Amino acid sequence: MTEERETSERVEATKFYPDKGYLELERKFPEEKYLWNEDVHPTPVKHRTWGSWTFFAIWFGMAMEVESWALVSIGYSFGLNWFWSLVSVAAGNLIVLVPMIIQSHGGARYGIPETPLTRSRWGIYGNWIPSLLRGIIGAGWWGIDTWIISEAIGAMYLVLTHGTGLLLKLVSQNPADLPFLIATINPDLFWGVFLLTIAARLAILYVSPPRTGQKVLKVVSWTVPFVSFAGFFILFFNVMSMASWHWQPILDIPTTVSGSAFWYALIGLINANVAFWATMALSMPDYTRFAKTQFAQTAGQLPLPLLMTAIGAFGLVTTGASYVVFKTPIWDPIVLSALSISNPALAITALFLLLLGVVVVNIYADTVGPAYDFSNIYPKKLSWFAGVVIVVLVAGALQSWTYYFNAFSYVENWLLTYGALLGGVEGIIVFDYALLRRFKFELFDIFYSKGRFRYFKGVNPAAVIAFVISMILVFPPNSYLPTSISSLYPGQSWVFQDSWISAILLSGLIYTALMVFWVIPRYQPWLRGSPLKGYTSKETEEIFRGKREKN
């Protein structure tokens, strides 16, 4: 294709909707076997029908789930009281909302999921790096959610067989390992259920591919979240009644750390809360590609910090009441439901409703996005559902549910570790899309192997270099090298404790400098502008001026 013809086709194939600020790509790329298939092609504007309430329902469902309930209680394990535990939840979710809305904008405007969207920053082949990272981390969460789902079904079995007395004995002996206890009572049943729940979710996802607008998932998002909230309410009401609505002892638990130890714990927990939704901050284009308008997706997501803080407070009060009743704080709602709800039918109902909430998060947060990531490796041969199957296989290999058993391991070895990795990825994405490109780029070239996002042999060297340098600066040497050196420079342990925030700032600033002074002049000379005004090409400006508008 000649340069003149390529320029003409780039403009002609892109339809602009000035009333929405949306773009649509009319050309398909079946010849690009590594870059295109029907699942990742820009969603036609007529299929972008998700409104604010759909996005609110998604977040309501993901907030009202077991890990969110338990998250605030982690603060006690690090020496913080109830107030600072809630502060860490609220602050972390306010922070992560910023990159989430920026990334969501790209999905809504261009109608594409995260994997092709990331090509504009990392290169058409370089995007495999963040895609695989997100896919592996999402698969890790997939395994944790599968454990919790199986735990809930195991709890139902204990209620039916009157085995909760044994569970209470185990709780008194092992109060720090609550999520692990039910699996030890009947291991064969537990692992059988574990496999059956995998098969059930695969069936749901098989009948809801992306090309249909994922109508089944849209129905699920509208129904399950509000039903699952009822499970928490049943638990709350029963535990509070048992405690005669006396829960204040948990407010008397003091902050046991001070000085630098206090700030070290608080910074770590804020970043853990950021990391909790960092995969979704990256993955939201997988859903906002169906957004009716930018206002719809933004308004639907803004309540996230309030929702997470509310469910944290809800869990805090209920855990406090459990301390009054059982003389130990039972922060796992699955275990607490089995022990505290005396009516078997009501207990099973509550557990089933809690299970549904986890299923919603498992599908939306930990399956849909990672499936795109693995499919992106070879789109011509790997469909989105094939990516789902890979997610399941990777989850089994990681066995990440073992991190969930202990608060310290959960925060330091899981949340902060992958938080730093995703922070490094998201710094590049946010600084490129919002600062350098000002939300505009060539949609045509996302799927064109000889186009403008080829950079150096398909990889943007600025992205790779910025990511590697930021990771070296964040992670202590003994975490990735066979060495006893625990710090590359003074204060590195603090930088790692501030993992996501450190990584997003370091990678973003390094990336911006490399792009401005090296990559744009050498590999994208058609871009005009400055860091203060942003960079765009002539063709992109033509498209956004409406030269090629809808008919």
Side-chain angles (χ1 to χ4, degrees):
M1 186 184 298
T2 65
E3 183 176 348
E4 183 177 348
R5 181 183 172 188
E6 179 184 306
T7 299
S8 175
E9 187 169 0
R10 181 177 289 112
V11 175
E12 292 301 317
T14 307
K15 182 184 291 188
F16 178 54
Y17 290 74
D19 55 328
K20 295 175 178 283
Y22 278 6
L23 274 72
E24 188 175 272
L25 193 61
E26 296 185 320
R27 184 198 191 289
K28 296 186 176 182
F29 296 81
E31 71 279 6
E32 297 286 1
K33 61 182 180 179
Y34 291 107
L35 301 178
W36 181 90
N37 65 23
E38 289 285 354
D39 289 338
V40 298
H41 187 76
T43 304
V45 171
K46 65 180 180 180
H47 290 156
R48 302 184 202 180
T49 59
W50 293 18
S52 297
W53 285 106
T54 298
F55 289 100
F56 175 78
I58 290 172
W59 278 114
F60 189 92
M62 290 195 290
M64 301 298 162
E65 56 106 19
V66 171
E67 292 106 314
S68 301
W69 174 284
L71 195 60
V72 71
S73 301
I74 291 175
Y76 291 105
S77 300
F78 285 81
L80 300 181
N81 68 3
W82 68 272
F83 175 78
W84 292 111
S85 297
L86 284 177
V87 166
S88 68
V89 173
N93 282 275
L94 280 169
I95 292 168
V96 79
L97 190 63
V98 176
M100 190 179 296
I101 295 297
I102 292 173
Q103 178 77 331
S104 295
H105 183 280
R109 166 164 280 182
Y110 298 96
I112 53 178
E114 180 272 334
T115 44
L117 183 62
T118 300
R119 292 172 190 163
S120 65
R121 298 88 182 246
W122 285 75
I124 53 173
Y125 303 130
N127 81 317
W128 288 358
I129 299 172
S131 290
L132 287 174
L133 276 176
R134 183 185 74 150
I136 292 169
I137 293 165
W141 274 115
W142 203 95
I144 291 173
D145 287 339
T146 302
W147 181 275
I148 296 172
I149 292 167
S150 304
E151 182 192 12
I153 296 174
M156 293 180 200
Y157 176 79
L158 291 178
V159 170
L160 286 172
T161 59
H162 308 289
T164 55
L166 176 58
L167 178 60
L168 180 58
K169 181 179 178 181
L170 291 173
V171 167
S172 63
Q173 295 172 346
N174 306 277
D177 302 317
L178 297 180
F180 182 64
L181 300 181
I182 290 175
T184 65
I185 296 175
N186 194 330
D188 292 338
L189 174 66
F190 184 89
W191 289 107
V193 168
F194 193 91
L195 295 175
L196 285 174
T197 64
I198 292 173
R201 281 168 288 158
L202 285 175
I204 292 173
L205 292 162
Y206 182 76
V207 299
S208 188
R211 72 190 67 176
T212 65
Q214 299 198 304
K215 296 176 182 177
V216 173
L217 294 188
K218 184 178 179 181
V219 172
V220 169
S221 74
W222 268 97
T223 55
V224 171
F226 301 100
V227 173
S228 65
F229 175 69
F232 283 114
F233 183 79
I234 292 170
L235 173 60
F236 170 78
F237 186 83
N238 275 268
V239 176
M240 295 301 291
S241 296
M242 291 178 69
S244 300
W245 296 86
H246 182 48
W247 53 273
Q248 287 83 354
I250 203 165
L251 300 184
D252 298 330
I253 298 175
T255 296
T256 57
V257 288
S258 60
S260 62
F262 166 80
W263 292 108
Y264 195 80
L266 182 62
I267 289 171
L269 286 173
I270 289 174
N271 278 269
N273 278 275
V274 174
F276 190 74
W277 291 125
T279 49
M280 284 303 294
L282 193 59
S283 302
M284 278 311 296
D286 300 340
Y287 312 100
T288 59
R289 64 182 299 203
F290 306 115
K292 188 183 299 183
T293 63
Q294 291 288 5
F295 176 82
Q297 63 90 4
T298 303
Q301 295 188 78
L302 285 177
L304 172 63
L306 181 61
L307 287 173
M308 287 297 293
T309 305
I311 191 64
F314 206 34
L316 179 79
V317 170
T318 310
T319 302
S322 76
Y323 186 81
V324 174
V325 176
F326 299 104
K327 309 308 177 186
T328 186
I330 303 176
W331 50 265
D332 185 334
I334 301 297
V335 173
L336 186 56
S337 295
L339 293 177
S340 63
I341 304 176
S342 57
N343 184 313
L346 192 61
I348 290 171
T349 299
L351 287 165
F352 179 73
L353 294 176
L354 295 180
L355 179 154
L356 286 180
V358 179
V359 169
V360 168
V361 176
N362 181 255
I363 291 175
Y364 275 103
D366 308 322
T367 308
V368 174
Y372 279 120
D373 294 322
F374 291 121
S375 171
N376 180 62
I377 297 171
Y378 196 178
K380 191 69 173 180
K381 295 294 184 181
L382 292 175
S383 67
W384 175 79
F385 185 74
V388 171
V389 175
I390 295 173
V391 170
V392 176
L393 296 175
V394 173
L398 287 175
Q399 298 186 29
S400 52
W401 49 84
T402 58
Y403 291 119
Y404 185 61
F405 300 159
N406 177 272
F408 181 84
S409 177
Y410 184 46
V411 171
E412 298 289 336
N413 297 336
W414 178 242
L415 292 172
L416 294 187
T417 297
Y418 87 68
L421 292 168
L422 289 185
V425 169
E426 288 161 352
I428 292 162
I429 287 172
V430 168
F431 277 69
D432 182 279
Y433 187 57
L435 177 64
L436 295 178
R437 301 187 191 276
R438 303 299 167 95
F439 309 100
K440 297 178 181 179
F441 60 80
E442 297 87 346
L443 180 60
F444 177 94
D445 295 82
I446 292 292
F447 304 101
Y448 183 41
S449 59
K450 297 180 180 179
R452 293 183 167 178
F453 300 121
R454 186 169 181 82
Y455 295 104
F456 176 72
K457 298 183 178 180
V459 178
N460 183 352
V464 176
I465 293 171
F467 178 75
V468 171
I469 292 176
S470 64
M471 292 303 97
I472 291 173
L473 292 174
V474 171
F475 282 99
N478 60 2
S479 65
Y480 56 87
L481 291 175
T483 178
S484 60
I485 300 174
S486 60
S487 183
L488 190 64
Y489 53 87
Q492 189 174 22
S493 63
W494 284 85
V495 173
F496 175 75
Q497 196 72 356
D498 197 29
S499 64
W500 185 90
I501 295 174
S502 298
I504 194 172
L505 293 175
L506 286 168
S507 67
L509 292 171
I510 295 169
Y511 175 81
T512 299
L514 291 172
M515 287 293 290
V516 170
F517 296 109
W518 174 36
V519 171
I520 289 176
R522 179 163 183 174
Y523 296 106
Q524 294 188 320
W526 49 82
L527 293 179
R528 296 288 183 267
S530 68
L532 294 177
K533 296 182 179 180
Y535 294 85
T536 57
S537 68
K538 178 182 176 182
E539 296 92 333
T540 299
E541 289 299 329
E542 287 182 13
I543 291 169
F544 278 92
R545 280 200 301 267
K547 181 175 181 179
R548 172 71 170 90
E549 295 186 4
K550 63 178 181 178
N551 294 327

